[in-house]
Amino acid sequence: LWEAKIRALQGSGDNPGSLRSTEMALKQLAKRADYKPERVDWIRLQRASGLYAAGTHLDYQREAGILLNDMRNGGRTHDALYIETLRQTARSHSVYSEFAAALPLYEEAVALQISLYGENHKTMPALLGGLASVYDGLKRLDEGRELYRRAIESSERIFGKTHRTTASINYYAADQQYFSYRNLTEAERLVRRAIAANPPEARGNAAIFHHRLAELLVLQEKLFEADYHASLAYDIAISTYAFGELIHITPVNSAYIALRRYNLPAASRLLTGSLIGTVRQFKLYYYVRMSIEADALGAFFGWNRESDGSTIVPPMRR
């Protein structure tokens, strides 16, 4: 019953509610005399996934790592749930560019997946895409690009051209073209494929994809279309999430495009000093562009720090 409730909350996009339910379920089930760890492994994995969706990546990494160790120590290592835990733990390392730590986890997951279920199982595309991203991070670019190609073909064969997984793999392949090859044209093409493949209910992904497309379009001086996609990303983000990176980077991106289009009132309405200060602190490589845009906006509108660097001074006070 708890699993059914958690699945329903996840399906409706209520990540905070899902996280609360995982906590309640684990507390209640731990009190049962017939409590067995393997009965709640899935719920523990959903708690880790919920922390990732909430943007608390360090907590996600910790939770996924603890669960993986518990499963290994308990001998629960030959089923689909263990493979998924390997994948999510590997992803938790990839988020922080810890590619050397992620590599053996992904490789173990892929090998076990093929051994137990074959290459046409529904989890195969995500595993191939994750391993591709690690190869990319380790500068094994050609191997990564080939794996992305295989992952996209696998996802389209298994799920079809309109599916969350197909969309996500196209997006990650686009990021490789953007960050590793600096091929903006190919990156734009793949992000558009991701948007076309994304199902309507995957609103979080839609915000991410439209934001990335806006970023790519800005770099190509296609400001009019960039404005449309940035605004769409912002609207989706603030209607979907209560917290997390997206509700910070999407208004900064929209404001920057408005500034570039000389729409100063629109840019100013989207900004606060705390927002600019928050985005300036983002260090992960895929947020670097947003940090640059935040700096440009802060300089133009006068959102500068006190002389001791402590707080951001509102323009009117300065």
Side-chain angles (χ1 to χ4, degrees):
L1 288 174
W2 275 116
E3 288 184 6
K5 181 176 182 179
I6 292 165
R7 288 183 190 275
L9 289 167
Q10 290 174 336
S12 66
D14 185 1
N15 186 61
S18 174
L19 270 174
R20 288 193 296 271
S21 290
T22 60
E23 295 292 346
M24 293 171 62
L26 292 172
K27 287 179 181 178
Q28 290 192 15
L29 295 171
K31 298 176 183 177
R32 293 178 60 103
D34 59 348
Y35 170 81
K36 294 181 180 179
E38 58 267 26
R39 293 299 304 274
V40 296
D41 282 345
W42 183 85
I43 295 177
R44 291 178 66 189
L45 185 60
Q46 303 320 301
R47 179 169 64 181
S49 300
L51 292 169
Y52 177 79
T56 52
H57 294 150
L58 286 175
D59 290 337
Y60 162 65
Q61 186 180 59
R62 185 191 69 249
E63 290 283 328
I66 292 172
L67 174 58
L68 182 64
N69 287 333
D70 288 348
M71 295 177 81
R72 285 172 168 168
N73 292 335
R76 306 189 298 276
T77 59
H78 284 81
D79 58 23
L81 187 60
Y82 177 68
I83 294 171
E84 178 61 11
T85 306
L86 281 169
R87 186 186 74 83
Q88 293 209 23
T89 308
R91 184 176 67 173
S92 74
H93 288 291
S94 294
V95 166
Y96 284 92
S97 301
E98 298 167 353
F99 302 114
L103 181 61
L105 299 174
Y106 269 124
E107 290 180 334
E108 181 184 355
V110 170
L112 187 59
Q113 173 67 35
I114 294 173
S115 172
L116 294 178
Y117 305 109
E119 292 199 30
N120 289 321
H121 191 271
K122 64 182 181 180
T123 58
M124 200 65 195
L127 288 173
L128 290 174
L131 183 56
S133 70
V134 170
Y135 280 144
D136 189 41
L138 293 171
K139 305 305 178 185
R140 296 163 63 173
L141 300 184
D142 291 342
E143 293 171 275
R145 182 171 57 183
E146 173 60 19
L147 270 181
Y148 277 128
R149 184 193 63 77
R150 283 180 55 195
I152 291 170
E153 288 182 353
S154 174
S155 187
E156 289 182 349
R157 183 175 65 253
I158 295 169
F159 299 116
K161 292 190 175 182
T162 303
H163 190 272
R164 183 192 301 260
T165 300
T166 305
S168 295
I169 295 172
N170 273 285
Y171 173 77
Y172 291 125
D175 267 8
Q176 185 199 42
Q177 292 294 325
Y178 177 19
F179 292 110
S180 298
Y181 287 101
R182 303 305 298 177
N183 187 338
L184 301 182
T185 302
E186 180 63 7
E188 179 188 337
R189 184 186 73 83
L190 287 165
V191 172
R192 290 186 188 277
R193 281 175 56 100
I195 291 171
N198 198 52
E201 66 272 14
R203 291 178 55 79
N205 279 353
I208 293 169
F209 299 163
H210 284 285
H211 168 73
R212 179 68 83 224
L213 181 54
E215 184 177 341
L216 291 166
L217 291 169
V218 168
L219 291 170
Q220 298 175 80
E221 298 296 328
K222 301 175 182 178
L223 297 178
F224 181 83
E225 189 181 3
D227 183 55
Y228 167 77
H229 290 285
S231 297
L232 187 56
Y234 174 59
D235 290 342
I236 296 171
I238 63 171
S239 65
T240 304
Y241 296 104
F243 48 85
E245 287 92 340
L246 275 175
I247 65 171
H248 294 107
I249 63 176
T250 53
V252 165
N253 189 218
S254 285
Y256 179 78
I257 294 169
L259 173 64
R260 292 287 307 277
R261 297 185 67 210
Y262 304 103
N263 189 348
L264 304 187
S268 182
R269 282 195 300 270
L270 290 164
L271 298 177
T272 64
S274 61
L275 175 64
I276 290 175
T278 297
V279 176
R280 277 173 165 165
Q281 303 306 309
F282 289 167
K283 302 301 183 185
L284 295 176
Y285 71 93
Y286 44 82
Y287 292 140
V288 167
R289 178 67 197 177
M290 293 304 98
S291 180
I292 292 170
E293 291 183 2
D295 281 340
L297 289 163
F300 185 88
F301 286 103
W303 290 99
N304 297 322
R305 291 193 174 275
E306 296 277 15
S307 58
D308 63 359
S310 57
T311 59
I312 291 182
V313 186
M316 292 301 293
R317 219 179 82 199
R318 295 179 69 251

